[in-house]
């Protein structure tokens, strides 16, 4: 059970953001706080566990709510009055921690908290969203446990097939050597039941392992629901790929535990009925498909890197005459795209500044924007000027004047990024694009990002940086 649970936890297919560096530094740290806090609580160090789970609340909040269900993991503890009192104390402490942090955030004017509002209508709306999230989220998480493996089967290629077969052999070998236990080795357990509605009563004989698995499975479902208690900022929690799947981050704990309980039950019963080999193969196939699904995500990241190398190398090649206030528009039609991570994003406007050391005399740096094909329809005319709304990046969205004869327009043609020249119609106005002066070259010193994004096969700028002369032309320092 521990082996399968750990694997499913690490390979949880609902969250596809494991490879995001920002998530590794922030979101995954919150999961670490949850795991350590849970271990401390179950080890009897409850006070220390509450200080540890506070770390989750201060990094990424959703795992904090999962900790509410940690007392349920005591599978060998009877859920009697003493246990209910412990659960009530645990809930009171957790509510107190959450309330204190919420008050501090409100006092500090944290934007995410203040945007929620304190009016009756906003609180009612949030409560309704939370209730729906507690239902929609777990349903989506369980569905994605099957979606990942099924998608692999529908998009299988040679690389994925090799990975699947290698994992399948390994998991069959490992699972055959694990002790699955069997009902005959467990203590017999009697469960009494009585129903006034159906007017029946009696006892059912089972084994203690099944009673413990049933409690753990219920605990897993409860923790799976709690994982979505704070997902009202990402409602509905149904994302299947991309950054939005971080809403499923905390569900990895309860989801992995639930899958481990199911497989443990199936393998135990299969061993009792002497069909263990078939159950082992089924478990190995599922785990291998999870690994292969993760491999497909990593391959998508590799393709995104290649797309970016192609994109920015083409931009540099086609726009050697860029200057301080140059605006580069790239139409997004036919641009290479990826599924699990964007090849282009909000960061595009600041990339050129990270590739080159531009002259300090420039008050602005060239910026690049990937735009829709109808981008000219959102340009407005004021007096004799054309203005467009600059999207949010490391600045807030605002309006700027389109610099005449200093706009470069790029688009895909026959698999290549090409530059358009001449003029275009912008809101009924003839707008001149930036011409390409003969002999234009980029001679700026490169920054560290250049090596990773463009590579050694790109441009080879001089060792010395260049500064712009008073005449406006570039000359060596």
């Amino acid at each position: 059970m521990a082996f399968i649970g750990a694997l499913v936890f690490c390979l949880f297919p609902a969250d596809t953001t494991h490879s995001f560096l920002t998530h590794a530094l922030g979101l995954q740290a919150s999961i670490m706080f949850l795991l350590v806090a849970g271990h401390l609580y179950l080890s009897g160090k409850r006070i220390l566990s509450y200080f540890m789970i506070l770390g989750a609340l201060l990094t990424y909040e959703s795992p904090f709510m999962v900790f509410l269900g940690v007392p349920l993991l005591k599978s060998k503890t009877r859920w009697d009055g003493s246990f209910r009192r412990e659960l009530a104390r645990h809930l009171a402490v957790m509510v107190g921690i959450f309330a204190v942090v919420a008050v501090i955030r409100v006092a500090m004017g944290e934007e995410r908290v203040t945007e929620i509002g304190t009016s009756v209508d906003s609180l009612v709306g949030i409560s309704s969203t939370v209730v729906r999230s507690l239902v929609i989220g777990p349903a989506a998480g369980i569905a994605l446990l099957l979606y990942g493996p099924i998608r692999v089967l529908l998009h299988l290629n040679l690389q994925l097939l090799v990975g699947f077969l290698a994992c399948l052999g390994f998991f069959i070998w490992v699972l055959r050597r694990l002790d699955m236990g069997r009902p005959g080795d467990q203590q017999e357990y009697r469960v009494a039941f009585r129903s006034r509605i159906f007017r029946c009563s009696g006892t059912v004989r089972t084994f203690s392992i099944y009673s413990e698995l049933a409690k753990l499975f219920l605990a897993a479902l409860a923790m799976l629901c709690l994982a979505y208690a704070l997902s009202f900022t990402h409602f509905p929690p149904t994302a299947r790929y991309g950054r939005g799947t971080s809403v499923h981050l905390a569900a990895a704990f309860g989801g992995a535990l639930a899958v481990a309980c199911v497989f443990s039950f199936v393998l135990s019963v299969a061993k009792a009925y002497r069909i263990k080999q078939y159950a082992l193969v089924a478990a190995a196939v599922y785990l291998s498909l999870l690994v292969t699904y993760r491999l497909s995500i990593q391959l998508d990241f590799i393709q995104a890197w290649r797309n970016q190398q192609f994109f920015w190398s083409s931009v540099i090649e086609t726009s050697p005459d860029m200057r301080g206030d140059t605006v580069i528009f790239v139409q997004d039609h036919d641009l290479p795209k990826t599924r699990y991570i964007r090849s282009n994003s909000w960061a595009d406007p600041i990339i050129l500044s990270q590739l080159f050391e531009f002259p300090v005399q420039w008050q602005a740096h060239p910026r690049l924007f990937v735009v829709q094909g109808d981008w000219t329809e959102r340009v407005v005319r004021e007096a004799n000027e054309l203005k467009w709304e600059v999207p949010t990046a490391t600045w807030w969205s605002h309006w700027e004047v389109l610099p005449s004869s200093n706009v470069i327009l790029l688009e895909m043609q026959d698999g290549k990024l090409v530059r358009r020249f001449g003029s275009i119609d912008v809101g009924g106005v003839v707008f001149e694009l930036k011409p390409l002066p003969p002999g234009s070259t980029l001679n700026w010193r490169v920054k560290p990002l250049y090596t990773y994004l463009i590579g050694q096969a790109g441009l080879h700028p001089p060792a010395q940086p260049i500064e712009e002369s008073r005449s406006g032309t570039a000359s060596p320092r």
Side-chain angles (χ1 to χ4, degrees):
M1 181 175 182
F3 176 74
I4 294 177
L7 279 174
V8 176
F9 176 79
C10 295
L11 302 169
F12 192 60
D15 181 12
T16 65
T17 65
H18 290 183
S19 299
F20 278 74
L21 292 182
T22 51
H23 287 205
L25 294 173
L27 276 64
Q28 295 298 328
S30 182
I31 285 290
M32 178 199 69
F33 285 121
L34 169 63
L35 295 176
V36 176
H39 178 71
L40 289 172
Y41 186 95
L42 297 175
S43 300
K45 303 176 182 178
R46 298 179 184 176
I47 296 178
L48 188 57
S49 71
Y50 291 125
F51 282 100
M52 186 60 63
I53 197 59
L54 178 62
L57 192 58
L58 299 178
T59 50
Y60 191 72
E61 297 86 353
S62 56
F64 175 84
M65 303 303 296
V66 177
F67 190 68
L68 285 170
V70 165
L72 298 175
L73 297 181
K74 295 181 176 182
S75 60
K76 295 184 179 181
T77 301
R78 296 185 62 184
W79 291 357
D80 52 12
S82 176
F83 175 77
R84 290 192 289 271
R85 286 191 294 272
E86 177 188 343
L87 195 60
R89 289 193 298 268
H90 176 69
L91 178 61
V93 174
M94 292 290 288
V95 170
I97 295 174
F98 187 87
V100 170
V101 173
V103 169
I104 293 175
R105 289 185 171 184
V106 170
M108 294 177 62
E110 184 177 310
E111 184 178 357
R112 289 192 306 163
V113 178
T114 55
E115 284 181 351
I116 296 175
T118 56
S119 65
V120 175
D121 291 339
S122 62
L123 294 178
V124 170
I126 290 174
S127 300
S128 174
T129 303
V130 168
V131 172
R132 286 183 291 169
S133 296
L134 293 177
V135 177
I136 297 174
I142 293 173
L144 290 171
L145 283 167
L146 300 175
Y147 169 82
I150 293 174
R151 179 172 174 79
V152 168
L153 293 175
L154 295 177
H155 298 82
L156 202 62
N157 56 32
L158 182 59
Q159 284 179 300
L160 298 181
L161 180 60
V162 171
F164 169 76
L165 293 177
C167 292
L168 181 61
F170 171 75
F171 286 134
I172 291 177
W173 177 78
V174 171
L175 291 174
R176 289 185 63 183
R177 282 158 176 76
L178 290 179
D179 181 15
M180 299 300 168
R182 59 181 180 180
D185 296 335
Q186 302 295 328
Q187 180 180 0
E188 191 176 85
Y189 187 82
R190 293 178 179 268
V191 179
F193 67 91
R194 182 179 182 182
S195 174
R196 294 181 179 179
I197 298 177
F198 298 100
R199 297 181 179 180
C200 62
S201 61
T203 59
V204 176
R205 292 192 304 171
T206 182
F207 298 95
S208 59
I209 183 176
Y210 295 147
S211 174
E212 295 170 9
L213 279 177
K215 289 183 178 180
L216 285 176
F217 185 71
L218 292 176
L221 294 182
M223 299 173 85
L224 184 61
C225 293
L226 289 170
Y228 295 95
L230 297 179
S231 62
F232 53 84
T233 56
H234 296 81
F235 186 85
T238 56
R240 292 178 296 168
Y241 55 87
R243 294 183 63 183
T245 58
S246 61
V247 73
H248 305 296
L249 172 79
F253 192 100
L257 183 59
V259 173
C261 289
V262 171
F263 272 112
S264 295
F265 175 77
V266 171
L267 291 172
S268 179
V269 173
K271 187 173 183 178
Y273 287 93
R274 298 182 180 179
I275 54 173
K276 183 184 72 171
Q277 300 300 329
Y278 300 103
L280 285 178
V281 171
V285 167
Y286 179 76
L287 294 175
S288 300
L289 288 175
L290 287 186
V291 175
T292 310
Y293 181 60
R294 280 291 163 191
L295 176 60
S296 70
I297 296 174
Q298 292 189 341
L299 292 175
D300 202 55
F301 270 69
I302 294 173
Q303 185 59 50
W305 186 11
R306 291 171 179 168
N307 291 348
Q308 293 176 58
Q309 288 180 313
F310 159 78
F311 179 85
W312 291 104
S313 297
S314 301
V315 168
I316 293 172
E317 181 181 356
T318 57
S319 309
D321 56 326
M322 67 178 75
R323 291 296 177 262
D325 57 348
T326 299
V327 177
I328 303 175
F329 289 127
V330 182
Q331 295 189 352
D332 72 341
H333 65 80
D334 297 329
L335 282 177
K337 292 180 173 60
T338 40
R339 180 178 180 86
Y340 298 101
I341 183 175
R342 293 183 179 180
S343 298
N344 297 95
S345 71
W346 64 268
D348 290 340
I350 65 172
I351 295 299
L352 291 172
S353 299
Q354 307 302 317
L355 294 176
F356 299 101
E357 286 188 9
F358 293 118
V360 294
Q361 292 87 350
W362 287 1
Q363 296 182 354
H365 290 166
R367 295 166 297 168
L368 180 144
F369 301 89
V370 176
V371 294
Q372 302 288 331
D374 59 349
W375 68 274
T376 57
E377 297 179 4
R378 292 189 292 273
V379 177
V380 299
R381 182 177 180 180
E382 292 186 6
N384 296 326
E385 297 178 329
L386 294 175
K387 290 187 175 182
W388 73 291
E389 188 176 10
V390 182
T392 300
T394 54
W395 50 76
W396 295 113
S397 178
H398 60 279
W399 289 87
E400 282 188 8
V401 176
L402 278 177
S404 179
S405 299
N406 201 14
V407 171
I408 296 175
L409 182 60
L410 306 177
E411 60 183 351
M412 290 290 294
Q413 288 185 5
D414 300 325
K416 296 182 180 180
L417 200 60
V418 299
R419 177 172 174 177
R420 290 182 56 181
F421 296 97
S423 60
I424 57 175
D425 184 357
V426 181
V429 177
V430 177
F431 186 82
E432 295 293 333
L433 298 174
K434 182 176 176 57
L436 179 62
S440 298
T441 58
L442 277 176
N443 294 317
W444 318 123
R445 174 182 286 178
V446 300
K447 289 185 176 180
L449 181 61
Y450 184 96
T451 302
Y452 298 101
L453 193 57
I454 308 300
Q456 300 299 328
L459 301 176
H460 297 281
Q464 295 295 327
I466 327 183
E467 63 182 6
E468 189 177 23
S469 66
R470 293 183 180 179
S471 62
T473 60
S475 60
R477 179 179 294 174

